[in-house]
Amino acid sequence: MTTFSDLGLAEPFLRAVEAEGYTDPTPIQSKVIPEILNGRDVLGIAQTGTGKTASFVLPLLHAIAGDKRRADKKTCRALVLVPTRELAAQVADSVRTYGRFARVTSTVIVGGVKPGPQVRALANGVDIVIATPGRLEDHLGGRAIRLDGTEAVVLDEADQMLDLGFLPAVRRILGKLPRERQTVLLSATMPKQIRGLASDFLNRPAEISVAPTARPIERIDQSVMHMDKAAKRTALVDILAGADVERAIVFTRTKRGADRVSKHLLDAGLSAAAIHGDKSQGQRQQALAAFRNDRVRILVATDIAARGIDIDDVSHVINFELPNVPEAYVHRIGRTARAGKSGIAVSLCDPDERGLLRDIERLIGRAIGSEGDALPTERHSRRPKRRAEARSVEERSGDKPPRRRRRSRNGKSSAKGEAPQSRRFGKAGPEAAGDGLSRMLGNIGSRSDAGASASTNT
Ligand code: AMP
């Protein structure tokens, strides 16, 4: 069994993972960490819940801390592009957590908040910038940041960026980075546009695939309860009042639905909060913090708002309404059974949703067992429009919807051959780590300033 120290990570990071209680690397970590440390590009298929965040955050931190160079003014040494502000906050959290015994600076650049503090955070240069594409482009346009010295870029949840219409922006951003750089692309699925992105911008990547969709689902006890729409609220309260419910996320299709359900739960004496895109960033963070700290036991969320929520110990996921897009079902129930635990997912299905249930069952390749009163199966001619829920870019990323621009040709990297390694973090890889390590050991005990700048900007 591989250990974290076998992977070549320096002591401050071994200490940080130990402090987190991780005993062994997850499969994606065992595969991705050595490749990044060696300076290779990586194309990874991995979903949330597999430990994918640490798989790129740890080697980035190792490389940056192992090489004393400072970022120049208005530049960053590594860029992490993410689809949503929630995911940005979580990646920043991981940078803070895993970097707590090293000196690495980071900041978050997302929409939905004032740009001024972000401009100031970038002014002196930052080691790691975690950004959503729209706001990053705004800052590139305003010359608050340039990327011509950036050594590594990570595209996290690339398929979500595609879904949100960010691909043209991502291509433009990648076109602004130096050709000699390290590129890591992680995606839960590999649609052909993402393959295309990888072949245009990655240089002979190590292709790594772990935990196919079915794996986390196997640990989830899934069931469906058939009932009329009008019976759902009472059923929901009954389920959530159950003694076995430690922490639950309830999914609705719409923002108004989330508000209504949350109010109903509060009226029934349960502790609940709603999170969705109409809430301010502050309200969303507050609700998440309350949920994380056990002050609120039930989070009512839309698919969009819940993307990237990474909270362990969610015992139940309840689908108050089935999602219009079957893939969203997999994302939803993946909020439970995290970090090796098991979980329970219950879907309340009214007669109008039977078609959606069939789509989901087709996607996951099996029928979901039913509980409670089964209604006779009917055929329903009226199917909700696919992707009917406003997949508003603003709601997820805080960014303005992508502007329509002509795709520029120079967004394409032509560096398909063996790229010189000089700028790559590989220089600080396992072979070079000894050097970086001894320098870093001098820093042990010094507080990371990663957290300070990250937290002021989330
Ligand atoms: P991610 O896939 O990055 O969203 O991570 C999912 C969860 O796994 C997070 O709560 C991490 O804290 C946790 N995690 C990451 N790496 C490990 C590990 N090696 N051992 C145990 N838990 C981990």
Side-chain angles (χ1 to χ4, degrees):
M1 165 73 78
T2 319
T3 64
F4 278 106
S5 55
D6 293 338
L7 299 178
L9 289 168
E11 197 277 342
F13 309 108
L14 299 179
R15 203 143 52 101
V17 293
E18 195 185 333
E20 279 304 284
Y22 303 169
T23 46
D24 302 301
T26 64
I28 183 119
Q29 291 163 0
S30 300
K31 291 179 179 161
V32 169
I33 291 173
E35 298 291 0
I36 299 184
L37 288 176
N38 272 323
R40 268 194 89 174
D41 283 3
V42 171
L43 176 60
I45 304 183
Q47 301 170 339
T48 52
T50 55
K52 70 177 171 64
T53 314
S55 79
F56 64 83
V57 168
L58 283 166
L60 284 184
L61 287 167
H62 171 107
I64 288 169
D67 171 351
K68 275 236 168 78
R69 266 182 298 164
R70 287 197 48 167
D72 291 336
K73 286 187 191 318
K74 300 185 183 183
T75 69
C76 61
R77 297 194 56 195
L79 170 68
V80 181
L81 277 177
V82 295
T84 64
R85 39 190 173 179
E86 275 77 18
L87 187 58
Q90 273 169 30
V91 172
D93 229 28
S94 296
V95 169
R96 201 162 31 236
T97 304
Y98 305 134
R100 62 206 264 213
F101 302 119
R103 242 181 214 288
V104 176
T105 58
S106 68
T107 200
V108 170
I109 301 294
V110 293
V113 291
K114 286 189 190 142
Q118 298 177 347
V119 172
R120 286 193 289 283
L122 293 169
N124 284 326
V126 189
D127 290 324
I128 302 178
V129 164
I130 302 129
T132 50
R135 180 55 72 89
L136 181 65
E137 280 210 303
D138 290 346
H139 285 306
L140 284 165
R143 301 196 190 291
I145 183 170
R146 30 176 252 275
L147 299 173
D148 54 357
T150 300
E151 295 147 78
V153 59
V154 178
L155 309 177
D156 193 14
E157 299 200 357
D159 51 352
Q160 288 301 312
M161 295 211 251
L162 167 71
D163 272 6
L164 289 167
F166 279 144
L167 233 46
V170 169
R171 284 178 172 271
R172 286 193 294 271
I173 291 167
L174 290 175
K176 291 189 161 51
L177 277 122
R179 274 197 191 169
E180 291 165 33
R181 59 155 196 267
Q182 187 170 21
T183 309
V184 175
L185 188 159
L186 298 176
S187 196
T189 57
M190 202 45 69
K192 84 175 179 303
Q193 295 96 320
I194 299 299
R195 277 252 161 237
L197 185 74
S199 78
D200 290 345
F201 289 96
L202 271 63
N203 177 26
R204 301 211 273 176
E207 292 202 21
I208 291 162
S209 169
V210 294
T213 315
R215 215 163 316 135
I217 287 183
E218 276 161 11
R219 290 202 308 269
I220 302 170
D221 175 2
Q222 301 172 64
S223 62
V224 59
M225 292 170 76
H226 292 281
M227 64 188 65
D228 285 330
K229 201 172 268 152
K232 284 191 175 185
R233 287 185 182 190
T234 312
L236 181 67
V237 171
D238 284 349
I239 297 169
L240 293 174
D244 57 332
V245 179
E246 290 159 31
R247 257 193 204 152
I249 302 183
V250 177
F251 282 95
T252 61
R253 270 199 297 266
T254 63
K255 297 179 251 183
R256 282 185 50 208
D259 279 335
R260 277 198 298 261
V261 168
S262 155
K263 182 171 180 312
H264 179 73
L265 295 176
L266 287 170
D267 290 346
L270 295 167
S271 97
I275 101 163
H276 56 66
D278 280 352
K279 305 265 179 193
S280 70
Q281 179 72 351
Q283 285 172 319
R284 280 148 57 123
Q285 295 293 347
Q286 242 175 16
L288 276 177
F291 188 59
R292 207 172 255 128
N293 302 332
D294 286 331
R295 279 181 282 122
V296 162
R297 215 163 49 91
I298 302 157
L299 203 59
V300 187
T302 56
D303 289 300
I304 291 167
R307 277 297 303 168
I309 291 180
D310 172 21
I311 294 174
D312 297 337
D313 301 325
V314 173
S315 61
H316 288 65
V317 166
I318 316 289
N319 293 312
F320 183 77
E321 290 152 334
L322 293 183
N324 288 329
V325 188
E327 287 81 4
Y329 174 81
V330 178
H331 287 305
R332 285 180 179 191
I333 68 168
R335 305 296 104 194
T336 181
R338 300 187 60 94
K341 305 212 171 82
S342 56
I344 293 171
V346 183
S347 299
L348 309 186
C349 178
D350 66 44
D352 284 344
E353 294 175 310
R354 291 275 173 86
L356 299 177
L357 181 61
R358 274 194 293 274
D359 288 350
I360 291 164
E361 291 178 330
R362 207 168 297 131
L363 176 77
I364 63 172
R366 67 178 171 94
I368 303 171
S370 82
E371 262 183 20
D373 300 335
L375 295 175
T377 314
E378 303 162 25
R379 285 201 69 78
H380 297 280
S381 48
R382 192 174 64 81
R383 272 213 50 193
K385 247 188 356 200
R386 279 175 75 85
R387 300 186 189 258
E389 180 168 349
R391 300 174 71 77
S392 141
V393 171
E394 258 172 291
E395 184 175 349
R396 292 198 191 186
S397 64
D399 292 344
K400 282 177 254 147
R403 279 156 281 172
R404 280 190 168 272
R405 280 194 207 164
R406 249 208 225 141
R407 181 177 298 171
S408 96
R409 285 219 152 256
N410 62 13
K412 267 191 158 193
S413 161
S414 57
K416 289 255 174 145
E418 183 71 322
Q421 300 282 309
S422 59
R423 270 201 132 103
R424 298 181 161 229
F425 279 148
K427 282 243 149 185
E431 293 87 346
D435 191 28
L437 175 64
S438 53
R439 266 183 275 143
M440 251 185 299
L441 288 173
N443 290 331
I444 291 175
S446 61
R447 270 185 50 104
S448 158
D449 27 7
S453 55
S455 54
T456 54
N457 289 293
T458 45

